[in-house]
Amino acid sequence: MNPVQLLSTAELRLRAASVMVRFVTNTTKESKQDLLERLKKLEFDISEDEIFTSLTAARNLVEQKQVRPMLLIDDRALPDFTGVQTGDPNAVVIGLAPEHFHYQLLNQAFRLLLDGAPLIAIHKARYYKRKDGLALGPGPFVTALEYATDTKAIVVGKPEKTFFLEALRDTGCAPEEAVMIGDDCRDDVGGAQNTGMLGILVKTGKYRAADEEKINPPPYLTCESFPHAVDHILQNLL
Amino acid sequence: MAAWAERLAGVRGVLLDISGVLYDSGAGGGAAIAGSVEAVARLKRSPLKVRFCTNESQKSRRELVGLLQRLGFNISEGEVTAPAPATCQILKERGLRPHLLVHDGVRSEFDDIDVSNPNCVVIADAGESFSYKNMNRAFQVLMELENPVLISLGKGRYYKETSGLMLDVGAYMKALEYACGIEAEVVGKPSPEFFKSALQAIGVEAHQAVMIGDDIVGDVGGAQKCGMRALQVRTGKFRPSDEHHPEVKADGYVDNLAEAVDLLLQHMDK
């Protein structure tokens, strides 16, 4: 089996064991639709209501606060904000959008914030993995704006507790009955464990050697990949 | 409130911030702040020693002084304490070869520094050069180093240009600190070494000096921590909330440099 088949098979094994599955992501460069189509093409058996993204969390907050956001997000994420007013902005929403993180636009955002606009950060990831190596995530730029304006962003994505609780809401499961599998030690595993879930760190994606030593308490389990994580769950946690 | 005479007694030297006190930078060279050209001239005619103490790091001293002279200011390069030369000294002393995240305008200040095979990153007010690409390159350099060193020329949050407030080096310094999980070393205000070197240049002791600046934390707070007195001007980046800062209380708040100089000249020991 090729690597992708291994992954989708592992997912099916979970479902076969009647484990409820949710796909949670901080991705800010794909709308839910795009994500769904991409995962389906990779032969993951998944429906739209099993996906919970930080973009959804951000939109919910914008509507709740009734603000008009300056959207510093990837163009491909814009469909998730259809219907939201963005003219004459009085809030800033910031996701992973390197093309927007140039001085002029960040300065515009800075001036809005200094005037009292709230800063909503989809997440504060320090960096992500690109073909040419590690690249700055939105976290550093959110930090820059927080420092410049002496304010704190409202973070809606991982590792915030609210994100995980929102994601679990319609599963009817308590955090203690749930496991998070992720490649980001602090954001995926640390955040989930902080909510009361078990966290399994996989050594794929952005994982770097000794990442598991960076959180306290350490991950419930560190293992090679998603299929290995599923093995463990099926063998030990049901 | 203690009378000005008491507050300004024994002053022999003045440290002047440049941006927000003398002028606001911006398109076409920026604009002098009303009354500042004459105020500097009056200070220089007086017995008080004067030193310009700036965190300017987007332009070289030569460019900055040339610009200020064109605006009518009596100022020369030798009278300016700025962070780039101080940084070069540190780099040489410690055998550091920097990757420079700086605006082209200040690059000449690093002309005799070895920049091959960098073992540290130097970040200054790069302005428009704070592109994602440039920030990312600096980040990647730091992540490759076994012992990542980040030197920041100042750590200001923002400054005033004629078009409005602008993000300063401090914000981008914090971005790299967060991304790499490290702490930067700051050269320039409010670091005590920087103030001390400015005082040494005019042979005045801290308790005999007054700093005049627009940054309540970087200029005023920083100077006071060194034992100087400090006046906050209401020009430049000043915002009304600065007068009620939770930690810093200036020795005086004045509308501008002209008012500060009036008071100094009125109350200095004759």
PDB file of all heavy atoms in Angstrom, chain A residues 124-159:
ATOM      1  N   LYS A 124      -1.846  30.867  16.201  1.00  0.00           N
ATOM      2  CA  LYS A 124      -0.575  31.569  16.404  1.00  0.00           C
ATOM      3  C   LYS A 124       0.607  30.648  16.114  1.00  0.00           C
ATOM      4  O   LYS A 124       1.644  30.736  16.763  1.00  0.00           O
ATOM      5  CB  LYS A 124      -0.458  32.106  17.840  1.00  0.00           C
ATOM      6  CG  LYS A 124      -1.238  33.392  18.065  1.00  0.00           C
ATOM      7  CD  LYS A 124      -0.895  34.022  19.416  1.00  0.00           C
ATOM      8  CE  LYS A 124       0.454  34.731  19.384  1.00  0.00           C
ATOM      9  NZ  LYS A 124       0.736  35.511  20.589  1.00  0.00           N
ATOM     10  N   ALA A 125       0.449  29.787  15.115  1.00  0.00           N
ATOM     11  CA  ALA A 125       1.548  28.867  14.800  1.00  0.00           C
ATOM     12  C   ALA A 125       2.824  29.633  14.503  1.00  0.00           C
ATOM     13  O   ALA A 125       2.812  30.630  13.803  1.00  0.00           O
ATOM     14  CB  ALA A 125       1.174  27.998  13.599  1.00  0.00           C
ATOM     15  N   ARG A 126       3.941  29.160  15.066  1.00  0.00           N
ATOM     16  CA  ARG A 126       5.215  29.845  14.883  1.00  0.00           C
ATOM     17  C   ARG A 126       5.725  29.684  13.460  1.00  0.00           C
ATOM     18  O   ARG A 126       6.253  30.604  12.863  1.00  0.00           O
ATOM     19  CB  ARG A 126       6.262  29.237  15.822  1.00  0.00           C
ATOM     20  CG  ARG A 126       5.985  29.551  17.240  1.00  0.00           C
ATOM     21  CD  ARG A 126       6.696  28.594  18.186  1.00  0.00           C
ATOM     22  NE  ARG A 126       6.258  28.875  19.521  1.00  0.00           N
ATOM     23  CZ  ARG A 126       7.054  29.277  20.506  1.00  0.00           C
ATOM     24  NH1 ARG A 126       8.341  29.376  20.323  1.00  0.00           N
ATOM     25  NH2 ARG A 126       6.547  29.539  21.692  1.00  0.00           N
ATOM     26  N   TYR A 127       5.595  28.482  12.920  1.00  0.00           N
ATOM     27  CA  TYR A 127       6.085  28.238  11.581  1.00  0.00           C
ATOM     28  C   TYR A 127       5.395  27.014  11.014  1.00  0.00           C
ATOM     29  O   TYR A 127       4.694  26.299  11.713  1.00  0.00           O
ATOM     30  CB  TYR A 127       7.605  28.040  11.575  1.00  0.00           C
ATOM     31  CG  TYR A 127       8.125  27.058  12.599  1.00  0.00           C
ATOM     32  CD1 TYR A 127       8.087  25.679  12.373  1.00  0.00           C
ATOM     33  CD2 TYR A 127       8.668  27.509  13.803  1.00  0.00           C
ATOM     34  CE1 TYR A 127       8.565  24.789  13.329  1.00  0.00           C
ATOM     35  CE2 TYR A 127       9.146  26.619  14.759  1.00  0.00           C
ATOM     36  CZ  TYR A 127       9.095  25.272  14.519  1.00  0.00           C
ATOM     37  OH  TYR A 127       9.569  24.393  15.456  1.00  0.00           O
ATOM     38  N   TYR A 128       5.548  26.797   9.729  1.00  0.00           N
ATOM     39  CA  TYR A 128       4.989  25.615   9.089  1.00  0.00           C
ATOM     40  C   TYR A 128       6.026  25.098   8.099  1.00  0.00           C
ATOM     41  O   TYR A 128       7.047  25.753   7.855  1.00  0.00           O
ATOM     42  CB  TYR A 128       3.659  25.954   8.408  1.00  0.00           C
ATOM     43  CG  TYR A 128       3.748  26.878   7.219  1.00  0.00           C
ATOM     44  CD1 TYR A 128       3.588  26.390   5.920  1.00  0.00           C
ATOM     45  CD2 TYR A 128       3.979  28.236   7.388  1.00  0.00           C
ATOM     46  CE1 TYR A 128       3.670  27.238   4.826  1.00  0.00           C
ATOM     47  CE2 TYR A 128       4.066  29.093   6.303  1.00  0.00           C
ATOM     48  CZ  TYR A 128       3.902  28.591   5.033  1.00  0.00           C
ATOM     49  OH  TYR A 128       3.980  29.432   3.946  1.00  0.00           O
ATOM     50  N   LYS A 129       5.736  23.927   7.548  1.00  0.00           N
ATOM     51  CA  LYS A 129       6.735  23.285   6.692  1.00  0.00           C
ATOM     52  C   LYS A 129       6.418  23.561   5.234  1.00  0.00           C
ATOM     53  O   LYS A 129       5.306  23.357   4.779  1.00  0.00           O
ATOM     54  CB  LYS A 129       6.718  21.779   6.971  1.00  0.00           C
ATOM     55  CG  LYS A 129       7.886  21.021   6.395  1.00  0.00           C
ATOM     56  CD  LYS A 129       8.132  19.769   7.241  1.00  0.00           C
ATOM     57  CE  LYS A 129       9.146  18.855   6.587  1.00  0.00           C
ATOM     58  NZ  LYS A 129       8.531  18.051   5.509  1.00  0.00           N
ATOM     59  N   ARG A 130       7.428  24.039   4.524  1.00  0.00           N
ATOM     60  CA  ARG A 130       7.281  24.276   3.083  1.00  0.00           C
ATOM     61  C   ARG A 130       8.320  23.441   2.373  1.00  0.00           C
ATOM     62  O   ARG A 130       9.236  22.920   3.011  1.00  0.00           O
ATOM     63  CB  ARG A 130       7.575  25.747   2.754  1.00  0.00           C
ATOM     64  CG  ARG A 130       6.398  26.656   2.786  1.00  0.00           C
ATOM     65  CD  ARG A 130       6.596  27.982   2.100  1.00  0.00           C
ATOM     66  NE  ARG A 130       7.890  28.577   2.116  1.00  0.00           N
ATOM     67  CZ  ARG A 130       8.068  29.894   2.001  1.00  0.00           C
ATOM     68  NH1 ARG A 130       7.020  30.693   1.940  1.00  0.00           N
ATOM     69  NH2 ARG A 130       9.276  30.408   1.978  1.00  0.00           N
ATOM     70  N   LYS A 131       8.231  23.390   1.051  1.00  0.00           N
ATOM     71  CA  LYS A 131       9.207  22.588   0.304  1.00  0.00           C
ATOM     72  C   LYS A 131      10.626  23.070   0.548  1.00  0.00           C
ATOM     73  O   LYS A 131      11.561  22.290   0.594  1.00  0.00           O
ATOM     74  CB  LYS A 131       8.904  22.629  -1.200  1.00  0.00           C
ATOM     75  CG  LYS A 131       7.897  21.547  -1.610  1.00  0.00           C
ATOM     76  CD  LYS A 131       7.534  21.636  -3.090  1.00  0.00           C
ATOM     77  CE  LYS A 131       6.231  22.366  -3.218  1.00  0.00           C
ATOM     78  NZ  LYS A 131       5.469  22.080  -4.415  1.00  0.00           N
ATOM     79  N   ASP A 132      10.803  24.398   0.736  1.00  0.00           N
ATOM     80  CA  ASP A 132      12.165  24.922   0.885  1.00  0.00           C
ATOM     81  C   ASP A 132      12.586  25.029   2.346  1.00  0.00           C
ATOM     82  O   ASP A 132      13.541  25.714   2.680  1.00  0.00           O
ATOM     83  CB  ASP A 132      12.278  26.293   0.191  1.00  0.00           C
ATOM     84  CG  ASP A 132      11.358  27.327   0.831  1.00  0.00           C
ATOM     85  OD1 ASP A 132      10.338  26.920   1.448  1.00  0.00           O
ATOM     86  OD2 ASP A 132      11.631  28.535   0.724  1.00  0.00           O
ATOM     87  N   GLY A 133      11.839  24.379   3.219  1.00  0.00           N
ATOM     88  CA  GLY A 133      12.204  24.420   4.634  1.00  0.00           C
ATOM     89  C   GLY A 133      11.100  24.994   5.490  1.00  0.00           C
ATOM     90  O   GLY A 133       9.943  25.034   5.102  1.00  0.00           O
ATOM     91  N   LEU A 134      11.450  25.467   6.696  1.00  0.00           N
ATOM     92  CA  LEU A 134      10.451  26.036   7.591  1.00  0.00           C
ATOM     93  C   LEU A 134      10.144  27.474   7.165  1.00  0.00           C
ATOM     94  O   LEU A 134      11.027  28.182   6.664  1.00  0.00           O
ATOM     95  CB  LEU A 134      10.977  26.032   9.022  1.00  0.00           C
ATOM     96  CG  LEU A 134      11.226  24.653   9.641  1.00  0.00           C
ATOM     97  CD1 LEU A 134      11.807  24.798  11.034  1.00  0.00           C
ATOM     98  CD2 LEU A 134       9.950  23.825   9.692  1.00  0.00           C
ATOM     99  N   ALA A 135       8.898  27.877   7.364  1.00  0.00           N
ATOM    100  CA  ALA A 135       8.502  29.241   6.998  1.00  0.00           C
ATOM    101  C   ALA A 135       7.650  29.836   8.115  1.00  0.00           C
ATOM    102  O   ALA A 135       6.896  29.127   8.783  1.00  0.00           O
ATOM    103  CB  ALA A 135       7.725  29.225   5.694  1.00  0.00           C
ATOM    104  N   LEU A 136       7.762  31.133   8.319  1.00  0.00           N
ATOM    105  CA  LEU A 136       7.037  31.822   9.390  1.00  0.00           C
ATOM    106  C   LEU A 136       5.530  31.641   9.257  1.00  0.00           C
ATOM    107  O   LEU A 136       4.962  31.846   8.193  1.00  0.00           O
ATOM    108  CB  LEU A 136       7.357  33.319   9.366  1.00  0.00           C
ATOM    109  CG  LEU A 136       8.777  33.716   9.741  1.00  0.00           C
ATOM    110  CD1 LEU A 136       9.021  35.188   9.399  1.00  0.00           C
ATOM    111  CD2 LEU A 136       9.019  33.492  11.232  1.00  0.00           C
ATOM    112  N   GLY A 137       4.892  31.279  10.377  1.00  0.00           N
ATOM    113  CA  GLY A 137       3.434  31.200  10.419  1.00  0.00           C
ATOM    114  C   GLY A 137       2.864  32.547  10.804  1.00  0.00           C
ATOM    115  O   GLY A 137       3.583  33.532  10.871  1.00  0.00           O
ATOM    116  N   PRO A 138       1.558  32.605  11.084  1.00  0.00           N
ATOM    117  CA  PRO A 138       0.954  33.877  11.468  1.00  0.00           C
ATOM    118  C   PRO A 138       1.328  34.306  12.889  1.00  0.00           C
ATOM    119  O   PRO A 138       1.283  35.499  13.203  1.00  0.00           O
ATOM    120  CB  PRO A 138      -0.542  33.604  11.373  1.00  0.00           C
ATOM    121  CG  PRO A 138      -0.683  32.134  11.507  1.00  0.00           C
ATOM    122  CD  PRO A 138       0.559  31.526  10.958  1.00  0.00           C
ATOM    123  N   GLY A 139       1.679  33.341  13.734  1.00  0.00           N
ATOM    124  CA  GLY A 139       1.980  33.645  15.136  1.00  0.00           C
ATOM    125  C   GLY A 139       2.936  34.806  15.344  1.00  0.00           C
ATOM    126  O   GLY A 139       2.655  35.725  16.122  1.00  0.00           O
ATOM    127  N   PRO A 140       4.096  34.790  14.668  1.00  0.00           N
ATOM    128  CA  PRO A 140       5.040  35.888  14.842  1.00  0.00           C
ATOM    129  C   PRO A 140       4.444  37.249  14.471  1.00  0.00           C
ATOM    130  O   PRO A 140       4.732  38.253  15.131  1.00  0.00           O
ATOM    131  CB  PRO A 140       6.182  35.517  13.884  1.00  0.00           C
ATOM    132  CG  PRO A 140       6.103  34.033  13.779  1.00  0.00           C
ATOM    133  CD  PRO A 140       4.653  33.704  13.862  1.00  0.00           C
ATOM    134  N   PHE A 141       3.598  37.293  13.446  1.00  0.00           N
ATOM    135  CA  PHE A 141       3.035  38.583  13.035  1.00  0.00           C
ATOM    136  C   PHE A 141       1.933  39.032  13.975  1.00  0.00           C
ATOM    137  O   PHE A 141       1.752  40.231  14.219  1.00  0.00           O
ATOM    138  CB  PHE A 141       2.559  38.506  11.579  1.00  0.00           C
ATOM    139  CG  PHE A 141       3.704  38.239  10.637  1.00  0.00           C
ATOM    140  CD1 PHE A 141       3.975  36.944  10.210  1.00  0.00           C
ATOM    141  CD2 PHE A 141       4.538  39.260  10.218  1.00  0.00           C
ATOM    142  CE1 PHE A 141       5.068  36.675   9.382  1.00  0.00           C
ATOM    143  CE2 PHE A 141       5.630  39.011   9.386  1.00  0.00           C
ATOM    144  CZ  PHE A 141       5.896  37.713   8.969  1.00  0.00           C
ATOM    145  N   VAL A 142       1.203  38.061  14.536  1.00  0.00           N
ATOM    146  CA  VAL A 142       0.212  38.395  15.560  1.00  0.00           C
ATOM    147  C   VAL A 142       0.944  38.971  16.775  1.00  0.00           C
ATOM    148  O   VAL A 142       0.541  39.987  17.332  1.00  0.00           O
ATOM    149  CB  VAL A 142      -0.605  37.152  15.968  1.00  0.00           C
ATOM    150  CG1 VAL A 142      -1.476  37.452  17.187  1.00  0.00           C
ATOM    151  CG2 VAL A 142      -1.464  36.676  14.809  1.00  0.00           C
ATOM    152  N   THR A 143       2.047  38.323  17.147  1.00  0.00           N
ATOM    153  CA  THR A 143       2.851  38.805  18.272  1.00  0.00           C
ATOM    154  C   THR A 143       3.352  40.221  18.013  1.00  0.00           C
ATOM    155  O   THR A 143       3.362  41.057  18.907  1.00  0.00           O
ATOM    156  CB  THR A 143       4.051  37.868  18.503  1.00  0.00           C
ATOM    157  OG1 THR A 143       3.567  36.545  18.694  1.00  0.00           O
ATOM    158  CG2 THR A 143       4.861  38.284  19.718  1.00  0.00           C
ATOM    159  N   ALA A 144       3.777  40.480  16.789  1.00  0.00           N
ATOM    160  CA  ALA A 144       4.263  41.821  16.432  1.00  0.00           C
ATOM    161  C   ALA A 144       3.167  42.863  16.660  1.00  0.00           C
ATOM    162  O   ALA A 144       3.400  43.919  17.256  1.00  0.00           O
ATOM    163  CB  ALA A 144       4.701  41.858  14.967  1.00  0.00           C
ATOM    164  N   LEU A 145       1.949  42.552  16.206  1.00  0.00           N
ATOM    165  CA  LEU A 145       0.837  43.499  16.359  1.00  0.00           C
ATOM    166  C   LEU A 145       0.432  43.650  17.821  1.00  0.00           C
ATOM    167  O   LEU A 145       0.104  44.746  18.273  1.00  0.00           O
ATOM    168  CB  LEU A 145      -0.357  43.051  15.511  1.00  0.00           C
ATOM    169  CG  LEU A 145      -0.153  43.158  13.994  1.00  0.00           C
ATOM    170  CD1 LEU A 145      -1.296  42.470  13.245  1.00  0.00           C
ATOM    171  CD2 LEU A 145      -0.062  44.618  13.560  1.00  0.00           C
ATOM    172  N   GLU A 146       0.470  42.547  18.574  1.00  0.00           N
ATOM    173  CA  GLU A 146       0.129  42.615  19.995  1.00  0.00           C
ATOM    174  C   GLU A 146       1.117  43.539  20.719  1.00  0.00           C
ATOM    175  O   GLU A 146       0.724  44.385  21.528  1.00  0.00           O
ATOM    176  CB  GLU A 146       0.184  41.221  20.641  1.00  0.00           C
ATOM    177  CG  GLU A 146      -0.965  40.298  20.237  1.00  0.00           C
ATOM    178  CD  GLU A 146      -0.848  38.925  20.901  1.00  0.00           C
ATOM    179  OE1 GLU A 146       0.292  38.406  21.003  1.00  0.00           O
ATOM    180  OE2 GLU A 146      -1.889  38.372  21.291  1.00  0.00           O
ATOM    181  N   TYR A 147       2.391  43.371  20.429  1.00  0.00           N
ATOM    182  CA  TYR A 147       3.424  44.170  21.079  1.00  0.00           C
ATOM    183  C   TYR A 147       3.290  45.644  20.698  1.00  0.00           C
ATOM    184  O   TYR A 147       3.340  46.526  21.549  1.00  0.00           O
ATOM    185  CB  TYR A 147       4.809  43.649  20.671  1.00  0.00           C
ATOM    186  CG  TYR A 147       5.966  44.495  21.175  1.00  0.00           C
ATOM    187  CD1 TYR A 147       6.360  44.450  22.508  1.00  0.00           C
ATOM    188  CD2 TYR A 147       6.676  45.330  20.319  1.00  0.00           C
ATOM    189  CE1 TYR A 147       7.418  45.217  22.977  1.00  0.00           C
ATOM    190  CE2 TYR A 147       7.735  46.098  20.775  1.00  0.00           C
ATOM    191  CZ  TYR A 147       8.110  46.031  22.091  1.00  0.00           C
ATOM    192  OH  TYR A 147       9.168  46.793  22.548  1.00  0.00           O
ATOM    193  N   ALA A 148       3.079  45.892  19.419  1.00  0.00           N
ATOM    194  CA  ALA A 148       3.022  47.282  18.953  1.00  0.00           C
ATOM    195  C   ALA A 148       1.833  48.030  19.550  1.00  0.00           C
ATOM    196  O   ALA A 148       1.902  49.234  19.781  1.00  0.00           O
ATOM    197  CB  ALA A 148       2.957  47.327  17.434  1.00  0.00           C
ATOM    198  N   THR A 149       0.733  47.322  19.791  1.00  0.00           N
ATOM    199  CA  THR A 149      -0.481  47.988  20.271  1.00  0.00           C
ATOM    200  C   THR A 149      -0.764  47.715  21.741  1.00  0.00           C
ATOM    201  O   THR A 149      -1.740  48.220  22.290  1.00  0.00           O
ATOM    202  CB  THR A 149      -1.700  47.511  19.462  1.00  0.00           C
ATOM    203  OG1 THR A 149      -1.797  46.082  19.580  1.00  0.00           O
ATOM    204  CG2 THR A 149      -1.567  47.883  17.995  1.00  0.00           C
ATOM    205  N   ASP A 150       0.090  46.927  22.371  1.00  0.00           N
ATOM    206  CA  ASP A 150      -0.102  46.555  23.771  1.00  0.00           C
ATOM    207  C   ASP A 150      -1.494  45.975  23.997  1.00  0.00           C
ATOM    208  O   ASP A 150      -2.215  46.373  24.918  1.00  0.00           O
ATOM    209  CB  ASP A 150       0.118  47.780  24.677  1.00  0.00           C
ATOM    210  CG  ASP A 150       0.354  47.369  26.124  1.00  0.00           C
ATOM    211  OD1 ASP A 150       0.713  46.204  26.373  1.00  0.00           O
ATOM    212  OD2 ASP A 150       0.139  48.215  27.027  1.00  0.00           O
ATOM    213  N   THR A 151      -1.900  45.069  23.124  1.00  0.00           N
ATOM    214  CA  THR A 151      -3.191  44.386  23.274  1.00  0.00           C
ATOM    215  C   THR A 151      -2.958  42.892  23.083  1.00  0.00           C
ATOM    216  O   THR A 151      -1.874  42.479  22.699  1.00  0.00           O
ATOM    217  CB  THR A 151      -4.216  44.834  22.204  1.00  0.00           C
ATOM    218  OG1 THR A 151      -3.655  44.573  20.905  1.00  0.00           O
ATOM    219  CG2 THR A 151      -4.548  46.301  22.323  1.00  0.00           C
ATOM    220  N   LYS A 152      -3.993  42.097  23.333  1.00  0.00           N
ATOM    221  CA  LYS A 152      -3.867  40.649  23.163  1.00  0.00           C
ATOM    222  C   LYS A 152      -4.877  40.183  22.121  1.00  0.00           C
ATOM    223  O   LYS A 152      -6.029  40.626  22.117  1.00  0.00           O
ATOM    224  CB  LYS A 152      -4.174  39.928  24.487  1.00  0.00           C
ATOM    225  CG  LYS A 152      -2.987  39.885  25.434  1.00  0.00           C
ATOM    226  CD  LYS A 152      -2.230  38.562  25.325  1.00  0.00           C
ATOM    227  CE  LYS A 152      -0.843  38.586  25.915  1.00  0.00           C
ATOM    228  NZ  LYS A 152       0.175  39.165  25.056  1.00  0.00           N
ATOM    229  N   ALA A 153      -4.415  39.304  21.255  1.00  0.00           N
ATOM    230  CA  ALA A 153      -5.314  38.763  20.242  1.00  0.00           C
ATOM    231  C   ALA A 153      -6.244  37.738  20.875  1.00  0.00           C
ATOM    232  O   ALA A 153      -5.904  37.113  21.871  1.00  0.00           O
ATOM    233  CB  ALA A 153      -4.507  38.095  19.140  1.00  0.00           C
ATOM    234  N   ILE A 154      -7.436  37.583  20.275  1.00  0.00           N
ATOM    235  CA  ILE A 154      -8.312  36.469  20.654  1.00  0.00           C
ATOM    236  C   ILE A 154      -7.962  35.369  19.671  1.00  0.00           C
ATOM    237  O   ILE A 154      -8.127  35.523  18.462  1.00  0.00           O
ATOM    238  CB  ILE A 154      -9.796  36.842  20.474  1.00  0.00           C
ATOM    239  CG1 ILE A 154     -10.094  38.125  21.227  1.00  0.00           C
ATOM    240  CG2 ILE A 154     -10.669  35.698  20.953  1.00  0.00           C
ATOM    241  CD1 ILE A 154     -11.398  38.775  20.796  1.00  0.00           C
ATOM    242  N   VAL A 155      -7.436  34.268  20.183  1.00  0.00           N
ATOM    243  CA  VAL A 155      -7.028  33.179  19.305  1.00  0.00           C
ATOM    244  C   VAL A 155      -8.127  32.135  19.255  1.00  0.00           C
ATOM    245  O   VAL A 155      -8.606  31.680  20.293  1.00  0.00           O
ATOM    246  CB  VAL A 155      -5.716  32.530  19.814  1.00  0.00           C
ATOM    247  CG1 VAL A 155      -5.245  31.484  18.830  1.00  0.00           C
ATOM    248  CG2 VAL A 155      -4.656  33.581  20.023  1.00  0.00           C
ATOM    249  N   VAL A 156      -8.560  31.791  18.046  1.00  0.00           N
ATOM    250  CA  VAL A 156      -9.697  30.880  17.949  1.00  0.00           C
ATOM    251  C   VAL A 156      -9.311  29.458  17.561  1.00  0.00           C
ATOM    252  O   VAL A 156     -10.114  28.539  17.687  1.00  0.00           O
ATOM    253  CB  VAL A 156     -10.771  31.405  16.954  1.00  0.00           C
ATOM    254  CG1 VAL A 156     -11.318  32.742  17.427  1.00  0.00           C
ATOM    255  CG2 VAL A 156     -10.210  31.515  15.556  1.00  0.00           C
ATOM    256  N   GLY A 157      -8.076  29.282  17.080  1.00  0.00           N
ATOM    257  CA  GLY A 157      -7.689  27.949  16.619  1.00  0.00           C
ATOM    258  C   GLY A 157      -6.939  27.171  17.680  1.00  0.00           C
ATOM    259  O   GLY A 157      -6.851  27.572  18.836  1.00  0.00           O
ATOM    260  N   LYS A 158      -6.353  26.038  17.278  1.00  0.00           N
ATOM    261  CA  LYS A 158      -5.528  25.276  18.211  1.00  0.00           C
ATOM    262  C   LYS A 158      -4.378  26.180  18.624  1.00  0.00           C
ATOM    263  O   LYS A 158      -3.860  26.918  17.807  1.00  0.00           O
ATOM    264  CB  LYS A 158      -4.955  24.027  17.516  1.00  0.00           C
ATOM    265  CG  LYS A 158      -6.003  23.056  17.031  1.00  0.00           C
ATOM    266  CD  LYS A 158      -5.359  21.866  16.342  1.00  0.00           C
ATOM    267  CE  LYS A 158      -4.980  22.207  14.909  1.00  0.00           C
ATOM    268  NZ  LYS A 158      -4.294  21.100  14.235  1.00  0.00           N
ATOM    269  N   PRO A 159      -3.899  26.134  19.869  1.00  0.00           N
ATOM    270  CA  PRO A 159      -4.221  25.161  20.905  1.00  0.00           C
ATOM    271  C   PRO A 159      -5.293  25.621  21.901  1.00  0.00           C
ATOM    272  O   PRO A 159      -5.375  25.097  22.991  1.00  0.00           O
ATOM    273  CB  PRO A 159      -2.879  25.025  21.625  1.00  0.00           C
ATOM    274  CG  PRO A 159      -2.320  26.413  21.578  1.00  0.00           C
ATOM    275  CD  PRO A 159      -2.769  26.994  20.262  1.00  0.00           C
TER     276      PRO A 159
END
